[in-house]
């Protein structure tokens, strides 16, 4: 029996265009023999828009067909263009409702468009990856892919994430959290605390992703400007001491039927852009260039370090009570220490994203990965 899958994408966060490209990848890899996709985009106004209305059922998806543009000739690039896509405005939004234990997608007149069996929220950043939409699904009793409300919230907040990691016995780098209240009332004390950290520093929105709003600074004179930049994305900011080491990532996939989660082979990001101003794996490297970064997977690590990365990735997954999937990022220092950076409970799923690539090189291809995630969602 074919099940209806709500593919939810877009959203009101700065990662809106990334989510659209992620949705295209998932739609093209979905097993049509078992699942019927119902794509719905959330535009910048927060309206839910029935997407892909020009798309024939058996055709491949593109960004243009997903956001209700008429199909155009395309080179099928896997990267975002400089002109970022958006879910369009609408006068006919759709919504979810629960009736007699069934979840229905309805139009503005209350007409039922489809019954929804399971949701696949491909939303990155605030109002999508932070527990908010997960809470909506919980109230509707609708099964969904990925972490629950608490894990999503903790995984989105770099401050509480670090506390959870530290409690689980993982090594975390030095940091200072700058709350909105402290920035206005205790700015001098905050700056003094940050000055105790060793340069360079990374200034980040506490609840953001895709490297948006992040600044690397090498002088304290740059600090206040960097904090103000991060505050454009979130009023809560974390300032992290830079860690000299290799950036190692590891994918975690939940276990079926209550089995222990498993970890992929570790991968290493190698930024290959010739631009000397590229100082970290930024938004453009991730999504707007197919050649500015490469994944080395399995990463060139000793066997014991590889197993340590995989073990600690699962520990991090369990520390925030995650489910479904996560990508865990580490630093491996020159003195052979493993320091956890963060967990991403809804990692990018574009064809050039690291999470599906790591699993493919571990032995699980993209379509099988998506199918497993949908099975996991429905058994919980």
């Amino acid at each position: 029996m074919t099940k209806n899958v709500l593919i939810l994408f877009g959203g009101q966060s700065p990662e809106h265009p990334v989510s659209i490209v992620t949705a295209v990848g998932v739609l093209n890899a979905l097993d049509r023999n078992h699942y019927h996709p119902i794509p719905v985009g959330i535009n910048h106004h927060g309206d839910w828009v029935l997407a892909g209305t020009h798309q024939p059922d058996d055709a491949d998806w593109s960004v243009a067909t997903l956001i209700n543009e008429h199909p155009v000739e395309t080179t099928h690039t896997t990267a975002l263009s400089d002109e970022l896509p958006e879910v369009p405005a609408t006068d006919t939004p759709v919504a979810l409702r629960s009736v007699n234990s069934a979840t229905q997608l309805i139009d503005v007149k209350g007409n039922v468009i489809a019954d929804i069996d399971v949701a696949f929220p491909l939303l990155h950043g605030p109002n999508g990856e932070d527990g908010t939409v997960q809470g909506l699904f919980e109230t509707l009793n609708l099964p969904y892919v990925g972490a629950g409300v608490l894990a999503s919230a903790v995984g989105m907040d770099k401050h509480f994430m670090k506390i959870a990691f530290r409690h689980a016995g993982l090594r975390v780098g030095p940091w200072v959290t700058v709350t909105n209240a402290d920035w206005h009332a205790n700015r001098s004390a905050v700056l003094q605390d940050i000055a105790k950290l060793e340069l360079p520093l990374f200034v980040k929105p506490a609840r953001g992703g895709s490297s948006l709003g992040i600044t690397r600074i090498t002088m304290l004179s740059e600090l206040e400007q960097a904090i103000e930049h991060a505050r454009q994305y979130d009023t809560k900011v974390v300032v992290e001491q830079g860690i000299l080491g290799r950036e190692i990532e590891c994918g975690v996939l939940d276990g079926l039927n209550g089995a222990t989660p498993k970890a992929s082979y570790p991968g290493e990001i190698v930024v290959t852009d010739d631009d000397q101003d590229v100082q970290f794996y930024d938004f453009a490297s991730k999504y707007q260039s197919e050649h500015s970064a490469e994944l080395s997977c399995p990463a060139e690590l000793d066997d014991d370090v590889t197993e340590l990365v995989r073990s600690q990735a699962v520990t991090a997954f369990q520390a925030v009570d995650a489910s479904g999937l996560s990508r865990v990022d580490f630093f491996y220092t020159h003195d052979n220490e493993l320091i956890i950076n963060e967990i991403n409970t809804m990692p990018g799923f574009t064809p050039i994203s690291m999470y599906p690539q790591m699993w493919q090189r571990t032995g699980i291809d993209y379509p099988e990965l998506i199918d497993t995630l949908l099975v996991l969602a429905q058994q919980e």
Side-chain angles (χ1 to χ4, degrees), residues 122-349:
L122 298 169
L123 301 167
H124 303 299
N127 297 322
E129 194 180 348
D130 56 0
T132 50
V133 76
Q134 289 78 12
L136 170 64
F137 294 149
E138 293 282 353
T139 62
L140 295 169
N141 199 32
L142 176 64
Y144 58 94
V145 170
V149 175
L150 177 63
S152 297
V154 173
M156 191 71 189
D157 190 308
K158 294 177 176 63
H159 169 71
F160 288 108
M161 177 199 306
K162 292 175 187 292
I163 292 172
F165 290 159
R166 181 178 284 174
H167 182 75
L170 300 170
R171 184 169 179 197
V172 180
W175 89 94
V176 172
T177 299
V178 184
T179 65
N180 189 49
D182 281 343
W183 187 238
H184 289 296
N186 302 305
R187 183 174 302 197
S188 178
V190 167
L191 294 174
Q192 288 177 15
D193 286 342
I194 296 172
K196 298 173 185 177
L197 301 176
E198 297 179 9
L199 295 168
L201 303 177
F202 286 86
V203 182
K204 305 178 178 181
R207 296 161 291 204
S210 288
S211 301
L212 293 167
I214 297 178
T215 305
R216 178 184 184 271
I217 66 170
T218 57
M219 298 181 293
L220 288 178
S221 59
E222 303 170 316
L223 179 59
E224 290 193 61
Q225 182 179 354
I227 291 175
E228 290 293 358
H229 177 61
R231 281 171 50 82
Q232 294 177 26
Y233 295 86
D234 187 4
T235 56
K236 184 179 180 182
V237 173
V238 294
V239 181
E240 300 173 347
Q241 181 172 298
I243 297 171
L244 186 61
R246 299 163 61 185
E247 295 188 32
I248 307 296
E249 302 187 347
C250 189
V252 180
L253 182 63
D254 217 346
L256 292 167
N257 301 314
T260 301
K262 54 188 176 181
S264 71
Y265 290 135
E268 181 172 10
I269 302 303
V270 180
V271 178
T272 58
D273 200 307
D274 291 333
D275 185 351
Q276 297 301 308
D277 291 333
V278 174
Q279 301 188 61
F280 60 94
Y281 186 44
D282 61 3
F283 183 91
S285 298
K286 287 180 178 179
Y287 303 114
Q288 291 183 283
S289 172
E290 296 181 88
H291 308 291
S292 62
E294 295 178 354
L295 172 68
S296 173
C297 182
E300 294 185 7
L301 299 167
D302 291 342
D303 290 346
D304 59 335
V305 178
T306 293
E307 291 311 307
L308 181 63
V309 170
R310 299 177 80 175
S311 173
Q312 290 203 2
V314 172
T315 298
F317 184 85
Q318 295 171 326
V320 301
D321 196 27
S323 53
L325 73 163
S326 289
R327 193 195 70 236
V328 185
D329 302 343
F330 297 91
F331 296 108
Y332 185 55
T333 70
H334 299 299
D335 52 358
N336 303 320
E337 291 185 299
L338 191 64
I339 299 174
I340 192 167
N341 181 24
E342 64 182 14
I343 188 170
N344 189 320
T345 58
M346 184 49 72
F349 246 84

